Amino acid sequence: MPPSVTFVISSCSVQESKSTGMATKKLGMDFVKQMSEYASGSNGFDRVLRMIKITGGGDGRAIGEFTVANEHLNRQGTLHGGLTATIVDNCTTYALMSKGSHPGVTANLNVSYIAAAKPGEIIEIDCHTVRAGKKMAYLDCILRRKSDGKIIAKGGQVKYIQFDKEKLDF
Amino acid sequence: MPPSVTFVISSCSVQESKSTGMATKKLGMDFVKQMSEYASGSNGFDRVLRMIKITGGGDGRAIGEFTVANEHLNRQGTLHGGLTATIVDNCTTYALMSKGSHPGVTANLNVSYIAAAKPGEIIEIDCHTVRAGKKMAYLDCILRRKSDGKIIAKGGQVKYIQFDKEKLDF
Amino acid sequence: MPPSVTFVISSCSVQESKSTGMATKKLGMDFVKQMSEYASGSNGFDRVLRMIKITGGGDGRAIGEFTVANEHLNRQGTLHGGLTATIVDNCTTYALMSKGSHPGVTANLNVSYIAAAKPGEIIEIDCHTVRAGKKMAYLDCILRRKSDGKIIAKGGQVKYIQFDKEKLDF
Amino acid sequence: MPPSVTFVISSCSVQESKSTGMATKKLGMDFVKQMSEYASGSNGFDRVLRMIKITGGGDGRAIGEFTVANEHLNRQGTLHGGLTATIVDNCTTYALMSKGSHPGVTANLNVSYIAAAKPGEIIEIDCHTVRAGKKMAYLDCILRRKSDGKIIAKGGQVKYIQFDKEKLDF
């Protein structure tokens, strides 16, 4: 996942927050967009997520969508489970970071595959932060077919996050 | 995952089996190798696994290795969790298929990330079939750093497999 | 989980349904209540769930609550994770059965522990059926502190269900 | 799980260790036995595990067994999945503690149910510590039928452990 250190977010909409248990700044949809672009702009494995367009989010949530294409398929001609898992991994992290948290490290990832997604279908991604405490974060993600809302997959991850005020002041 | 339908495996070492609860044919390492090449030779998402070299397996097991390269990294410079999940997804399926089962469909995928893997490190993948019954298969996978055996990640999946004799006669 | 065979449900509110992919009968809150009482009335392990009071549900959902008591605690004085897992296991199955499905068998159970629950706190349980297909069912469960809605735990299970019209005609 | 604070372990076999990443003391089978007795001797939920007899362990491992009895069953007459989850939760924690770690708190529990266990069968429990780092611990557990080694269930948990030297000096 993106580092918590070197990048600069210049234009994100920052809201002040008084939450004591969590971060001091909550970040808006612009921030989620920038995180997504920053990640998938790399030559690393994040590049496989270039097709995702962020459509909403901020303050612990990340919403996006993409159209299933040939390069996303398994040998049975449907959305590859490994790509689904990669989406869950990254997009929940964008959601977490929009709470003002640094990305942390994943301890556990879990995905249930509920229905197949086919080429040409638009899939909506909706991730949210269930809890981001001082040490651990719990994140959920759901993938739905846009045309009728049918759930394609559900998953989430547990991350270790070292709460650290300095790091949150981007 | 690879389809259960159209491909032809010509040179795999086939052993007869009398197991009633499971498949009628157990397949050797050559089969696992061919499955891996078949999958990653596609233009689909399996292409991201082209770096894996199968080194062992057959009869329910699949063993391979790869060297961590830049294209496998997250933004923190270590092996991307989504790629790890993709490895678990595919390689456990090769293991399953070498039991004589068709690939089935994934119901649930679970991965625990235990340590970071860095560029240049050789990672060993070791997958095995815990159980392949008539309807459900349970598969495990472990990723280890080759130099010292340090566990990088552990995971597995639960698959729905419709036991069907005809499909098993490749 | 409760068997699909021998018991008689006399007073449940039955709604007709035309859904082809799923069960032919959807059952109401009375049914969920009866299932819960039937299960926890046994001398088996279900007895540990006698404290749960069903407060809502039907048609794929099961809602209940209980007050955390001494017999529910771990050695740290908070709700035991094993009891939480048992609640997720049983209550999601009630939810599934209220779709008209028989209970099936659990393939995988997953629970994330998000916050501690203390003696005297009332915990709300809310389970729903994400999908109940012909072969597999996906179920979710959330445990919340009633006083403020704080999430205590989240989880779910994947079940194998052999769709069988006859069995559904209780 | 058992607290990290107040109890006294007087007779456990302590081995010195120079591992820097982990605990300073590794504890033997006597310690695992005492932990198991301490936990299940409570009036809390741990009491449901009184039937477990520790037969081995120490230095990150915990091995035990029990005979499936009526009070352990679900309504289908086989070992209840909630009890299995409780066993995984507690016994992996004994394993962890025998590394010299305090019990920590569970972040995620995952169990796959592979075969049914019936009354009268002796089930072996084998838990080990995959990794116990400074902050996170990864634990595995397998349940086998003693007569033939058939795997009944597999699972594990991810725990948050605050490494703290003082707490480890029991």
Side-chain angles (χ1 to χ4, degrees):
Chain A
M1 281 307 316
S4 56
V5 199
T6 55
F7 59 89
V8 179
I9 304 296
S10 55
S11 63
C12 56
S13 60
V14 175
Q15 301 165 266
E16 294 300 315
S17 159
K18 288 174 185 172
S19 120
T20 53
M22 245 305 294
T24 48
K25 287 181 185 177
K26 294 176 182 175
L27 306 160
M29 171 178 153
D30 287 349
F31 174 80
V32 178
K33 230 176 218 174
Q34 283 172 306
M35 282 312 312
S36 171
E37 282 161 17
Y38 173 76
S40 62
S42 80
N43 293 320
F45 194 68
D46 291 325
R47 74 188 183 280
V48 303
L49 298 181
R50 268 172 205 165
M51 76 293 193
I52 295 176
K53 186 185 150 196
I54 298 298
T55 58
D59 192 14
R61 203 165 171 201
I63 304 168
E65 64 179 51
F66 70 100
T67 304
V68 180
N70 289 339
E71 68 200 55
H72 307 143
L73 304 183
N74 56 32
R75 280 283 188 170
Q76 293 173 322
T78 59
L79 181 61
H80 196 292
L83 180 54
T84 302
T86 305
I87 291 168
V88 172
D89 183 13
N90 269 41
C91 294
T92 56
T93 305
Y94 307 153
L96 171 64
M97 293 177 76
S98 78
K99 269 278 192 192
S101 170
H102 70 88
V105 293
T106 302
N108 184 266
L109 181 76
N110 191 277
V111 184
S112 286
Y113 299 91
I114 295 165
K118 287 166 193 165
E121 290 182 352
I122 301 174
I123 306 299
E124 287 180 324
I125 306 158
D126 193 343
C127 301
H128 80 283
T129 306
V130 178
R131 185 177 176 229
K134 290 183 189 172
K135 304 292 186 184
M136 303 294 293
Y138 300 83
L139 307 155
D140 268 6
C141 184
I142 200 162
L143 276 76
R144 282 191 214 89
R145 190 162 62 193
K146 193 175 185 179
S147 62
D148 61 359
K150 185 174 188 176
I151 297 175
I152 298 304
K154 283 197 67 164
Q157 60 172 327
V158 178
K159 295 202 123 184
Y160 173 71
I161 50 167
Q162 178 87 50
F163 182 77
D164 188 335
K165 278 189 182 179
E166 286 69 42
K167 286 191 181 169
L168 298 177
D169 290 328
F170 295 112
Chain B
M1 280 310 315
S4 55
V5 200
T6 55
F7 59 91
V8 178
I9 304 296
S10 55
S11 63
C12 56
S13 61
V14 174
Q15 302 165 267
E16 293 303 314
S17 159
K18 288 176 186 169
S19 124
T20 54
M22 243 305 296
T24 48
K25 287 180 184 179
K26 293 176 184 176
L27 307 161
M29 172 179 152
D30 286 349
F31 173 80
V32 178
K33 233 178 215 172
Q34 283 173 307
M35 281 312 312
S36 170
E37 282 162 17
Y38 173 76
S40 62
S42 80
N43 293 319
F45 194 69
D46 291 325
R47 75 188 181 279
V48 302
L49 299 180
R50 266 173 206 163
M51 76 293 194
I52 295 176
K53 187 185 152 195
I54 297 298
T55 58
D59 191 14
R61 203 166 172 200
I63 304 168
E65 64 178 51
F66 71 100
T67 303
V68 180
N70 289 339
E71 68 201 55
H72 307 143
L73 304 183
N74 56 31
R75 280 283 188 169
Q76 293 174 321
T78 59
L79 182 62
H80 195 292
L83 180 54
T84 303
T86 304
I87 292 168
V88 173
D89 183 13
N90 269 41
C91 294
T92 56
T93 306
Y94 308 152
L96 171 66
M97 294 179 76
S98 77
K99 268 278 191 192
S101 169
H102 69 87
V105 292
T106 302
N108 184 265
L109 181 76
N110 191 277
V111 184
S112 286
Y113 299 91
I114 295 166
K118 288 168 192 162
E121 290 181 351
I122 301 173
I123 306 298
E124 287 180 324
I125 305 159
D126 193 343
C127 300
H128 80 283
T129 305
V130 179
R131 184 177 177 230
K134 290 183 189 171
K135 304 292 184 183
M136 303 294 294
Y138 299 84
L139 307 155
D140 269 4
C141 184
I142 200 162
L143 276 76
R144 280 191 217 89
R145 188 162 63 192
K146 194 175 186 179
S147 61
D148 60 359
K150 186 176 189 175
I151 298 175
I152 298 303
K154 283 197 67 165
Q157 61 173 327
V158 179
K159 296 203 122 184
Y160 173 71
I161 51 167
Q162 178 84 52
F163 182 77
D164 187 334
K165 278 189 182 180
E166 286 69 42
K167 287 192 181 170
L168 297 178
D169 290 327
F170 297 112
Chain C
M1 277 311 312
S4 55
V5 200
T6 55
F7 58 90
V8 179
I9 304 295
S10 55
S11 63
C12 57
S13 61
V14 175
Q15 302 167 268
E16 294 301 315
S17 158
K18 288 174 186 171
S19 122
T20 53
M22 243 304 296
T24 50
K25 289 180 184 178
K26 293 175 183 176
L27 306 161
M29 171 178 152
D30 287 348
F31 173 81
V32 178
K33 232 178 217 175
Q34 283 173 306
M35 281 312 312
S36 171
E37 281 161 17
Y38 173 76
S40 61
S42 80
N43 293 320
F45 194 68
D46 291 325
R47 75 187 182 281
V48 303
L49 299 180
R50 268 173 205 164
M51 76 294 192
I52 295 176
K53 187 185 150 194
I54 298 298
T55 57
D59 192 14
R61 202 164 172 201
I63 304 169
E65 64 179 50
F66 70 101
T67 303
V68 180
N70 288 340
E71 67 201 54
H72 308 142
L73 304 182
N74 56 33
R75 280 284 187 170
Q76 292 174 322
T78 60
L79 182 62
H80 195 291
L83 180 54
T84 302
T86 305
I87 291 168
V88 172
D89 183 12
N90 269 42
C91 294
T92 56
T93 306
Y94 307 153
L96 170 65
M97 294 177 77
S98 77
K99 269 277 191 193
S101 169
H102 70 87
V105 291
T106 303
N108 184 265
L109 180 76
N110 191 277
V111 185
S112 287
Y113 299 91
I114 296 166
K118 287 167 193 165
E121 291 182 351
I122 301 174
I123 305 299
E124 288 180 323
I125 306 159
D126 193 344
C127 301
H128 80 282
T129 305
V130 178
R131 184 177 177 229
K134 290 183 189 170
K135 304 292 186 186
M136 302 294 293
Y138 299 83
L139 307 155
D140 268 5
C141 184
I142 199 162
L143 276 76
R144 281 191 215 90
R145 189 163 62 192
K146 194 175 186 179
S147 61
D148 60 359
K150 185 174 189 177
I151 297 175
I152 298 303
K154 285 197 68 165
Q157 59 172 327
V158 178
K159 294 202 124 184
Y160 173 71
I161 51 167
Q162 178 85 52
F163 182 76
D164 187 335
K165 277 189 184 180
E166 287 67 41
K167 285 192 183 169
L168 298 178
D169 289 329
F170 296 114
Chain D
M1 280 310 312
S4 56
V5 201
T6 57
F7 58 89
V8 178
I9 303 297
S10 54
S11 63
C12 55
S13 60
V14 176
Q15 302 167 267
E16 294 301 314
S17 159
K18 288 175 187 171
S19 121
T20 54
M22 243 304 294
T24 49
K25 287 180 184 178
K26 294 176 182 175
L27 306 160
M29 172 179 152
D30 287 348
F31 174 79
V32 178
K33 231 178 216 174
Q34 283 173 307
M35 281 313 311
S36 171
E37 282 161 18
Y38 173 76
S40 62
S42 81
N43 294 318
F45 194 69
D46 291 325
R47 74 187 183 280
V48 303
L49 298 180
R50 269 174 204 161
M51 75 292 192
I52 295 175
K53 187 184 150 194
I54 298 298
T55 57
D59 191 13
R61 202 166 172 200
I63 304 168
E65 65 179 49
F66 71 101
T67 303
V68 180
N70 289 339
E71 67 201 55
H72 308 142
L73 304 183
N74 56 32
R75 280 283 188 169
Q76 293 174 321
T78 59
L79 182 62
H80 196 291
L83 180 54
T84 303
T86 304
I87 291 169
V88 172
D89 183 11
N90 270 40
C91 294
T92 56
T93 306
Y94 307 152
L96 170 64
M97 292 177 78
S98 78
K99 269 278 191 192
S101 170
H102 69 89
V105 293
T106 303
N108 185 265
L109 181 75
N110 191 278
V111 184
S112 287
Y113 299 91
I114 295 165
K118 287 167 193 164
E121 291 181 352
I122 301 173
I123 306 299
E124 287 180 324
I125 306 159
D126 193 343
C127 300
H128 79 283
T129 305
V130 178
R131 185 177 176 230
K134 290 183 189 169
K135 305 293 186 185
M136 304 294 293
Y138 299 83
L139 307 155
D140 268 6
C141 184
I142 199 163
L143 276 76
R144 280 190 215 90
R145 189 162 62 193
K146 194 174 185 180
S147 62
D148 61 359
K150 186 175 189 176
I151 297 175
I152 298 304
K154 284 196 67 164
Q157 60 172 328
V158 178
K159 295 202 122 185
Y160 173 71
I161 51 168
Q162 178 85 50
F163 182 76
D164 188 334
K165 278 190 183 179
E166 286 69 41
K167 286 191 182 169
L168 298 177
D169 289 329
F170 295 113

